[in-house]
């Protein structure tokens, strides 16, 4: 399927953003702080109708599943919206899929979606549709600093180095020459949860980006083994594990050891340490856009994310 091209607003930039809440109920104060920060960067901000809804006494979701899905579709359909920002992760994006059937999505304009964690489900959906997205901060994050600047830079039609202060640590199969391929992925738990569903991730030809939070090293290994046994590692170009925060392995040494052994066994280059994870600041990286990793571990866009889809 060839996705429709949606022209960005004036001067080829993505200036008009809609904040939607596809998952857990949000912190209103944090959302208004981000609205102010985005406005200060020159963005025009609107909110979905159900952003501040709260539904389900146990799950604490940002409204009913059907309403959260309606907000997402409305943002895709609205010609006055250039890109979409997820308010929060948490839990709930998976519950939207029954309300996002293929015919509905086919009628929508492709627009970049920004978010991470539970929003991984939607990144995979975007990837299936042939749309690009941004693994980056949700609206509840602090958009006044480096995280917000990294998203704004990706939405600007100028090629740039991604996370210039970061250098990936190679754990297995170092590169002799630069590798250019689109990135895909997100949170490891969410990617694993999609196995066996109609939205099971397709990683062919991609560099798989992963991150995790509050998972013991053996659980990370188990999820990697499950994805491998499901046949989803057969045609990827490599794996980047951004970070595994929140467990007792504070420096990630045990997870790095698991990844190193796994990479050598499957014959893939594996890197560690890209700053787009649950560790603040969550910097932005485009998904579905070719990026280049050079032998030193520096990452850059193969052109401009915004310009490629303007």
């Amino acid at each position: 399927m060839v996705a429709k091209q949606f022209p960005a607003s004036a001067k080829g930039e993505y200036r008009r953003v809609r904040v939607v809440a596809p998952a857990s109920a949000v912190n209103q104060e944090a959302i208004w702080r981000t609205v102010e920060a985005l406005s200060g960067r020159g963005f025009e901000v609107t909110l979905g109708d159900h952003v501040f809804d709260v539904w389900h006494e146990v799950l604490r979701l940002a409204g009913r599943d059907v309403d959260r899905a309606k907000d997402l579709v409305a943002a895709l359909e609205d010609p006055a919206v250039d890109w979409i920002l997820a308010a929060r992760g948490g839990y709930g994006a998976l519950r939207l899929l029954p309300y996002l059937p293929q015919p509905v999505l086919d009628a929508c304009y492709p627009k970049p979606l920004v978010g991470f964690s539970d929003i991984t489900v939607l990144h995979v959906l975007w990837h299936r549709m042939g749309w690009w997205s941004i693994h980056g901060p949700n609206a509840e994050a602090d958009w006044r600093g480096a995280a917000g600047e990294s998203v704004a830079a990706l939405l600007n039609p100028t090629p740039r180095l991604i996370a210039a202060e970061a250098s990936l640590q190679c754990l297995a199969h170092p590169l002799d020459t630069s590798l250019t391929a689109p990135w895909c992925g997100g949170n490891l738990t969410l990617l694993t949860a999609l196995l066996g569903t109609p939205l099971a991730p397709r990683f062919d030809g991609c560099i798989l980006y992963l991150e995790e939070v509050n998972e013991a090293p053996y659980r990370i290994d188990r999820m990697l083994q499950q994805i491998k046994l499901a046949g989803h590692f057969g045609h990827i170009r490599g794996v980047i594990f951004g970070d595994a925060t929140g467990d007792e392995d504070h420096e990630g040494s045990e997870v790095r050891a698991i990844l190193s052994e796994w990479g050598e066994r499957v014959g893939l280059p594996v890197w560690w340490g890209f700053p787009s994870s649950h560790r603040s600041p969550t910097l932005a990286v485009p998904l579905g856009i070719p990026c280049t990793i050079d032998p030193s571990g520096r990452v850059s866009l193969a052109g401009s994310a915004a310009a490629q889809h303007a």
Side-chain angles (χ1 to χ4, degrees):
M1 187 206 74
V2 178
K4 293 186 296 184
Q5 293 299 306
F6 179 73
S9 58
K11 300 180 181 179
E13 297 180 351
Y14 293 79
R15 307 309 304 171
R16 301 166 299 184
V17 54
R18 174 73 51 80
V19 178
V20 301
S24 289
V26 306
N27 179 319
Q28 294 193 28
E29 181 179 349
I31 299 302
W32 288 120
R33 183 176 63 234
T34 292
V35 169
E36 181 179 358
L38 285 166
S39 299
R41 294 185 183 276
F43 292 102
E44 300 173 20
V45 188
T46 54
L47 303 182
D49 291 340
H50 301 281
V51 164
F52 296 134
D53 286 4
V54 180
W55 177 75
H56 204 294
E57 63 181 68
V58 176
L59 299 178
R60 292 280 298 173
L61 302 173
R64 300 181 304 159
D65 299 338
V66 64
D67 291 331
R68 301 196 318 278
K70 283 180 179 178
D71 273 5
L72 184 60
V73 172
L76 287 167
E77 292 178 336
D78 189 343
V81 173
D82 299 322
W83 60 284
I84 302 168
L85 174 59
R88 182 189 172 187
Y91 172 72
L94 189 66
R95 295 172 59 108
L96 301 190
L97 297 182
Y99 302 96
L100 300 171
Q102 189 72 41
V104 170
L105 296 174
D106 285 342
C108 292
Y109 293 111
K111 302 174 186 181
L113 168 76
V114 180
F116 83 113
S117 192
D118 196 65
I119 308 305
T120 295
V121 172
L122 299 180
H123 285 310
V124 173
L125 179 61
W126 257 237
H127 185 71
R128 277 292 187 94
M129 294 296 298
W131 304 343
W132 75 291
S133 61
I134 295 175
H135 188 277
N138 297 318
E140 280 199 0
D142 186 354
W143 276 69
R144 296 167 295 185
E149 178 59 33
S150 69
V151 175
L154 280 183
L155 294 172
N156 187 297
T158 303
R160 65 185 291 273
L161 190 72
I162 300 176
E165 70 278 12
S167 183
L168 300 176
Q169 176 189 358
C170 186
L171 301 180
H173 292 278
L175 297 176
D176 295 323
T177 60
S178 296
L179 172 61
T180 299
W183 290 20
C184 64
N187 181 264
L188 178 57
T189 293
L190 271 300
L191 292 172
T192 306
L194 289 171
L195 297 179
T197 74
L199 200 62
R202 297 172 181 170
F203 304 134
D204 291 5
C206 293
I207 296 171
L208 179 60
Y209 182 77
L210 300 172
E211 65 88 26
E212 195 48 85
V213 61
N214 294 331
E215 291 289 356
Y218 79 89
R219 292 176 183 162
I220 290 174
D221 182 72
R222 180 170 60 200
M223 287 185 280
L224 290 171
Q225 300 303 329
Q226 183 176 351
I227 294 175
K228 178 178 182 295
L229 290 170
H232 290 278
F233 282 141
H235 303 286
I236 64 173
R237 306 288 300 279
V239 174
I240 299 170
F241 209 108
D243 203 354
T245 60
D247 56 47
E248 295 179 357
D249 183 22
H250 296 296
E251 301 302 320
S253 58
E254 294 179 0
V255 174
R256 291 200 302 271
I258 288 171
L259 293 168
S260 178
E261 182 271 336
W262 179 85
E264 293 295 344
R265 183 150 44 89
V266 299
L268 285 171
V270 177
W271 296 271
W272 171 269
F274 192 84
S276 185
S277 68
H278 282 78
R279 193 185 303 275
S280 182
T282 304
L283 301 187
V285 64
L287 302 178
I289 300 288
C291 296
T292 297
I293 305 174
D294 71 18
S296 72
R298 295 184 72 182
V299 179
S300 60
L301 277 174
S304 163
Q308 289 184 49
H309 287 263

